[in-house]
Amino acid sequence: VQILVGEIGAGHIEAAVAAIRTSQTRVALAITGGGSGILPHLLARPGAARTVLEAQVHYAPNALTDLLGTAVGSSCSPETARSMAVSMYERAQRLRESSAMPVVGLGASGALTTDRERRGVNAIYVAAVDGFQVWEAALQFRKGGRTRGGEEVTAELAILATLTEAMGGGVSVKLPLDPDEHWTLDRHELGHLCDVLERTEQPWATVDRSGDAP
C-alpha cells in the first residue's frame, strides 16, 4: 500500500504510523537539525513502547558528539545520519528486553530554514540500520521554496518514509515534492545474513525467493 501525502494530512500520517506499529521490530532513533515533530506521532498514544525503545533529539554540537563518540565535520550530511543510525542500532540492542526482539536504529540529520543566513543546502538526511542492511534517504529543499514549518513537516515525512521501509508493515509513504526538490531512498546490503544472526544481533531474517533480504 502506498500512502500519498498530497496535502500532508494528519490522517495519512496516522495510517503510516499505524502500519509501523504492526511490526514486531522496535526502533531507537536520534534526530538533529529538524524533523523532531514526528516524535509526537510515534509517542503520544497508548502502546508506543511496543514500537519505540528510545527517542533522542540532539541540537548542541556536544550532544551529537556524545552520541557518536567523536566530533563530526558536518551535523547535516549522509555520513552523519548513517553514524547516528549505527549508534542507535547498537543502543537498541542494549535496550531491548530480549535478543529475540528485532530492532532497528534510525538517525536523521537536517539543516532547515533558520533565523539567520546559513551556508550550505537546506536538507534532511535519514538512515536506518538493522544489521543486515541500511536504508539511506536524502531530501534537498530549494532555499526560500518553503517556510520553516513546511520544511519541518516534509522532513518529518522523510523520516517516516524511511522508517516504514525499515520496519515493514506493507506501507510506503510518498512525499509531496516541489518540481525542484530532490528525494532519494535507497537500500544497501550491510552484512551477511548468517553473520548477523550468528552474532545474535537479530533473531531472524526474512528473504525473498532470490535469497535477498527484502
Side-chain angles (χ1 to χ4, degrees), residues 173-190:
V173 177
K174 184 177 180 181
L175 276 66
L177 301 177
D178 291 339
D180 52 359
E181 292 176 336
H182 186 58
W183 161 253
T184 59
L185 175 54
D186 301 308
R187 178 174 63 89
H188 308 285
E189 298 303 317
L190 196 60

Side-chain angles (χ1 to χ4, degrees), residues 89 99 130-132 191-207:
Y89 172 61
S99 60
D130 71 352
F132 303 119
H192 193 280
L193 298 178
C194 293
D195 292 337
V196 176
L197 293 172
E198 185 175 347
R199 292 194 298 267
T200 69
E201 291 182 24
Q202 298 285 20
W204 66 77
T206 303
V207 297

Side-chain angles (χ1 to χ4, degrees), residues 7 29 41 49 53 100 120 142 150 152 169 177-178 190 211:
E7 297 296 328
L29 64 157
H41 292 290
L53 289 168
R142 177 176 60 86
E152 278 281 357
L177 301 177
D178 291 339
L190 196 60

Side-chain angles (χ1 to χ4, degrees), residues 55-178:
Q56 301 184 14
V57 178
H58 302 266
Y59 268 93
N62 287 345
L64 190 57
T65 299
D66 185 67
L67 171 68
L68 302 180
T70 184
V72 296
S74 171
S75 61
C76 178
S77 70
E79 293 78 17
T80 297
R82 182 189 273 224
S83 295
M84 294 171 71
V86 170
S87 292
M88 296 310 292
Y89 172 61
E90 293 171 351
R91 284 191 60 79
Q93 292 178 73
R94 296 195 298 271
L95 293 171
R96 63 186 173 183
E97 299 170 4
S98 163
S99 60
M101 177 186 295
V103 293
V104 62
L106 181 140
S109 161
L112 307 183
T113 294
T114 185
D115 57 359
R116 57 180 172 77
E117 186 66 27
R118 185 179 49 74
R119 296 179 181 179
V121 298
N122 287 14
I124 180 80
Y125 300 101
V126 190
V129 170
D130 71 352
F132 303 119
Q133 53 214 330
V134 56
W135 293 262
E136 294 184 291
L139 173 58
Q140 293 188 359
F141 301 100
R142 177 176 60 86
K143 284 189 175 180
R146 295 179 185 263
T147 64
R148 170 62 186 244
E151 288 183 352
E152 278 281 357
V153 174
T154 311
E156 294 164 19
L157 291 172
I159 295 170
L160 183 59
T162 309
L163 188 56
T164 56
E165 289 292 325
M167 293 184 69
V171 167
S172 62
V173 177
K174 184 177 180 181
L175 276 66
L177 301 177
D178 291 339

